Amino acid sequence: QFVPKTLPEGLFAAGRVNGVYELAQQIEDGKRAGLQAAASLEKYKGPIPPGPCHEGPPPSHPYPIYSHPAGKCFVDLDEDVQYKDLVHSAQEGFDSVELMKRYSTYGMGPSQGKTANANAIRVLAKVKGQTVAETGTTTARPFFHPVALSHLAGRGFHPHRHTPMHSRHETAGAEFMLAGDWLRPAYYKVAGQGREQAIQAEVQAVRQRAGIIDVGTLGKIEINGPDAGEFIERLYTARFAKMKVGTTRYGLACDETGVIIDDGVVARLAEDRFYVTTTTTASASIYREMQRWAILWGLDVVLVNATGSYGAMNLAGPQSRRILAGLTEIDVSEAAFPYLGVREGAVLGVPARLLRVGFVGELGYEIHVPAHSAAYVWDGLMRAGRSFDIRPFGVEAQRVLRLEKGHVIVGQDTDGLTVPREAHMDWAVKLDKPFFVGQRSLKILGTKEIKRTLVGFMLPEDYSGPIPKECHLVIRDGEITGRVTSITFSPTLHQVIGLAYVHPSQSKPGAHFQIRLDDGKMVTAEVVSLPFYDPKNLRQTTEAA
């Protein structure tokens, strides 16, 4: 580093700025600078110890510039300034550090010269046959030394949203996590159980008895008007215009390039009235997109963002129908309220919308009610479920349950470049429709080979090593061919399962691929068909009753 050689009268340097980093030496250097300051004020006339002696190897090579016969010698990686650019600068007469900086633009990138300046000054010093001290430096902007962003940001005031059941989660011992702007229960702490034990117990409760999760953070958008069906048809990739009233359908949304941006459930409440759910993190952005398209298309629709107006909970598990039946005027029998149906009526006397859907792969009901009554309904469901040993479950258990069912999470199992065919979601895309957003791009992409595809995989039953992490890389012959997007130990299947992108040549069931761990070791995974759990969907239909 550069240390002060001369300072203005009355100014004395000590510590790190003076090149001293060890605490004991910093204290001694501070005493020396203090004595110098006292002496300058004629308050001290005794001896002053010498300044610090910078010992040991230099922190960087005195001249870290090496030519390469087949490559470019970059001095500033921000601005692509090469060694030869600086030499030309000096030859053209721009041979002071300030002029050379303006001539070559070194130090003007994001790093603001923190690395480039030291290199460029040494190059100029060598070209001119001077020392670095003789060559000098440019004027540095604050901060010369790295400063943590937290020091500059000050106190944080990030707003957190609470669902109507937040106080119930606190009472139940929830460990919260941030999901978008919302605080959601990750899991519920239980005395004598660790985190993983508690999560697995929540999973087993849903699979064997009944569980309830707060899903009030989902985006909830009402689409009304004569053109509501046409609007939904254009916005999502599947067919919706001829949906029957009282039914729901999976909705996948893409942008103009065909990239997946969101998914949710589309429920038809009337010929001119739809109720759409979105992912938690995309609720605001999708609503903005809907508004934009409604204006551009000029369709006769009214959009209402009801995300904060409704609370919602998902009652799931083999006993969920029995728990709900005694609390609602709606007939929840299989014949009257089949899978993928939607009904409106009262639950515990509160107006409600019930969606017979299930992200967790069990018989279940999403119950949407006005926010001011949501906690009341939650309490009533918990009371009614006591005899069935109902248990609230959090986001972590939900992620395990959905992974067992092979359901994709947009934003986790997809990224900013994923198209439906790569994520095996082309079943939800109807390219023969007249139009939907992204259709043209997907038709073009359909003529090209894909370079990756999402597969389900399992680790061997007897595997006992460290479990790979999300984003661990898939390696073949030393090359990256994919990455893990989701992985967990399944308490239902008693095996490690996951989703990963691999090269299409590695995607057939029974194929094996290698996952590289943090320490560089390889773990062998086997591709399996999805879903891992209940492939015939019997748990969500009549047989689950």
Side-chain angles (χ1 to χ4, degrees):
Q1 75 173 72
F2 296 113
V3 296
K5 186 176 182 181
T6 58
L7 289 169
E9 184 178 353
L11 184 63
F12 306 94
R16 180 181 293 187
V17 74
N18 211 23
V20 182
Y21 285 81
E22 297 297 328
L23 179 59
Q25 284 75 25
Q26 287 179 336
I27 293 173
E28 291 301 317
D29 198 33
K31 291 179 179 178
R32 176 199 55 78
L35 292 175
Q36 284 183 319
S40 71
L41 296 174
E42 299 182 351
K43 302 293 185 181
Y44 175 74
K45 295 183 180 181
I48 297 176
C53 179
H54 300 107
E55 299 177 345
S60 64
H61 195 279
Y63 189 70
I65 308 296
Y66 297 89
S67 61
H68 190 288
K72 297 179 179 179
C73 185
F74 287 107
V75 177
D76 186 340
L77 296 177
D78 291 348
E79 296 292 300
D80 289 349
V81 176
Q82 299 179 52
Y83 171 79
K84 64 181 182 181
D85 298 326
L86 302 182
V87 174
H88 292 163
S89 172
Q91 291 174 344
E92 293 290 332
F94 300 93
D95 57 356
S96 74
V97 289
E98 293 287 0
L99 290 176
M100 187 173 70
K101 177 178 180 178
R102 285 155 179 76
Y103 179 85
S104 66
T105 72
Y106 83 81
M108 296 184 181
S111 74
Q112 284 295 289
K114 184 60 182 177
T115 55
N117 283 1
N119 294 334
I121 291 167
R122 282 182 274 194
V123 170
L124 182 59
K126 186 161 187 174
V127 170
K128 296 182 68 176
Q130 297 176 332
T131 66
V132 169
E134 291 170 337
T135 304
T137 67
T138 57
T139 302
R141 297 176 180 173
F143 298 88
F144 187 79
H145 290 290
V147 176
L149 289 176
S150 59
H151 295 350
L152 305 179
R155 294 178 62 190
F157 293 98
H158 183 73
H160 294 156
R161 301 183 70 178
H162 292 175
T163 69
M165 283 77 81
H166 187 81
S167 62
R168 275 39 175 195
H169 305 320
E170 289 180 320
T171 302
E175 184 73 22
F176 289 97
M177 60 175 284
L178 196 61
D181 291 335
W182 297 88
L183 281 178
R184 298 192 66 185
Y187 69 99
Y188 295 84
K189 292 178 286 188
V190 177
Q193 290 185 346
R195 180 180 185 275
E196 293 304 319
Q197 287 179 302
I199 293 170
Q200 291 187 18
E202 291 173 14
V203 170
Q204 291 167 347
V206 176
R207 291 280 183 246
Q208 299 170 8
R209 304 181 305 279
I212 185 170
I213 183 173
D214 185 349
V215 294
T217 61
L218 294 174
K220 298 176 271 302
I221 301 171
E222 295 178 344
I223 302 171
N224 308 306
D227 294 333
E230 175 66 18
F231 181 77
I232 295 287
E233 188 81 0
R234 295 187 187 188
L235 197 68
Y236 291 98
T237 60
R239 293 191 180 92
F240 297 91
K242 295 182 180 180
M243 275 180 66
K244 293 182 179 179
V245 174
T247 63
T248 67
R249 189 166 293 174
Y250 177 74
L252 184 68
C254 296
D255 64 13
E256 292 95 324
T257 67
V259 169
I260 297 170
I261 58 173
D262 194 52
D263 69 345
V265 175
V266 177
R268 190 162 206 165
L269 305 178
E271 288 298 327
D272 60 351
R273 189 160 60 100
F274 288 80
Y275 184 61
V276 176
T277 63
T278 74
T279 59
T280 294
T281 53
S283 60
S285 60
I286 292 299
Y287 181 62
R288 287 195 299 269
E289 276 294 282
M290 287 184 175
Q291 291 176 306
R292 182 171 74 92
W293 285 120
I295 294 170
L296 289 175
W297 292 332
L299 296 178
D300 189 0
V301 293
V302 176
L303 306 175
V304 178
N305 187 350
T307 300
S309 302
Y310 282 95
M313 56 217 80
N314 182 15
L315 176 65
Q319 304 298 331
S320 57
R321 177 180 287 134
R322 296 179 182 177
I323 294 171
L324 183 61
L327 306 177
T328 179
E329 61 184 23
I330 301 170
D331 185 351
V332 295
S333 66
E334 187 68 28
F337 192 176
Y339 180 56
L340 297 181
V342 58
R343 299 290 185 269
E344 292 186 292
V347 175
L348 290 162
V350 176
R353 289 172 180 163
L354 271 60
L355 283 65
R356 177 83 187 278
V357 295
F359 194 45
V360 299
E362 295 290 340
L363 173 68
Y365 304 85
E366 273 190 21
I367 305 168
H368 296 238
V369 295
H372 59 79
S373 299
Y376 169 76
V377 174
W378 175 278
D379 292 341
L381 290 168
M382 289 295 292
R383 284 194 301 270
R386 283 175 188 165
S387 58
F388 299 96
D389 197 16
I390 192 173
R391 182 166 183 165
F393 65 101
V395 174
E396 295 298 338
Q398 184 188 50
R399 286 176 174 172
V400 175
L401 291 159
R402 69 88 196 176
L403 183 54
E404 291 177 343
K405 194 60 183 169
H407 289 155
V408 168
I409 296 179
V410 173
Q412 177 169 326
D413 301 304
T414 69
D415 55 38
L417 297 174
T418 305
V419 297
R421 192 157 62 112
E422 293 175 321
H424 274 304
M425 301 178 76
D426 43 354
W427 58 269
V429 179
K430 306 303 178 185
L431 289 174
D432 56 349
K433 286 192 344 179
F435 171 79
F436 64 83
V437 177
Q439 182 188 53
R440 180 176 179 273
S441 296
L442 290 178
K443 284 183 177 180
I444 295 171
L445 292 171
T447 64
K448 304 178 184 297
E449 292 185 2
I450 57 175
K451 297 181 180 179
R452 61 175 183 168
T453 185
L454 191 68
V455 298
F457 69 87
M458 283 184 169
L459 299 189
E461 289 187 34
D462 59 351
Y463 180 76
S464 59
I467 296 178
K469 301 175 184 175
E470 294 165 3
C471 284
H472 270 173
L473 299 176
V474 176
I475 305 293
R476 181 172 64 180
D477 299 329
E479 297 292 329
I480 300 171
T481 61
R483 63 182 175 87
V484 176
T485 63
S486 297
I487 190 167
T488 191
F489 175 80
S490 165
T492 306
L493 306 172
H494 305 290
Q495 204 164 349
V496 176
I497 61 174
L499 299 175
Y501 282 103
V502 299
H503 189 271
S505 63
Q506 300 172 292
S507 64
K508 291 183 179 179
H512 293 82
F513 60 87
Q514 299 288 311
I515 302 171
R516 186 171 65 192
L517 304 180
D518 285 335
D519 59 6
K521 293 180 181 177
M522 296 292 187
V523 172
T524 301
E526 180 182 354
V527 178
V528 298
S529 299
L530 293 174
F532 303 101
Y533 173 77
D534 187 29
K536 294 184 179 180
N537 293 326
L538 301 179
R539 303 283 295 184
Q540 294 175 306
T541 53
T542 305
E543 286 75 4

